[in-house]
């Protein structure tokens, strides 16, 4: 499995709705609220054969209330 993170900027007042939708979809490993430019930091695991760009586009960005995303690809955990 390949881990990666997505920072999510939500429409005003919709952070909890987006977080709940991600949790209900059961596609995220961990969901955190954050301060700053983005509202949520979400950790995903996908099989190595998965196209991460397509996954984010098809499974994440279509959730109502999401305004913007930033995907962070990770290489190695220490």
């Amino acid at each position: 499995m390949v881990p990666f993170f997505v920072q999510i900027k939500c429409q005003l007042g919709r952070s909890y709705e987006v977080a709940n939708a991600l949790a209900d979809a059961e596609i995220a490993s961990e969901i955190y609220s954050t301060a700053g430019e983005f509202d949520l930091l979400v950790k995903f695991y996908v099989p190595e054969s998965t196209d991460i760009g397509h996954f984010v586009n098809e499974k994440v960005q279509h959730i109502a209330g999401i305004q913007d995303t930033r995907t962070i690809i990770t290489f190695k955990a220490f």
Side-chain angles (χ1 to χ4, degrees):
M1 297 296 273
V2 176
F4 68 97
F5 296 83
V6 177
Q7 292 178 294
I8 298 174
K9 184 182 296 184
C10 300
Q11 295 170 346
L12 292 176
R14 299 191 70 184
S15 297
Y16 284 92
E17 179 183 332
V18 171
N20 287 331
L22 285 164
D24 290 345
E26 298 183 352
I27 58 173
S29 171
E30 301 170 42
I31 305 167
Y32 297 95
S33 60
T34 58
E37 184 179 350
F38 290 86
D39 303 301
L40 301 172
L41 176 64
V42 185
K43 184 176 186 179
F44 297 93
Y45 285 98
V46 293
E48 288 188 28
S49 61
T50 301
D51 183 312
I52 292 173
H54 279 111
F55 178 89
V56 172
N57 182 57
E58 295 166 7
K59 305 279 188 186
V60 179
Q61 292 177 339
H62 286 286
I63 293 175
I66 292 180
Q67 181 177 327
D68 194 11
T69 63
R70 176 183 293 159
T71 302
I72 302 167
I73 306 291
T74 56
F75 299 109
K76 182 178 179 179
F78 295 95

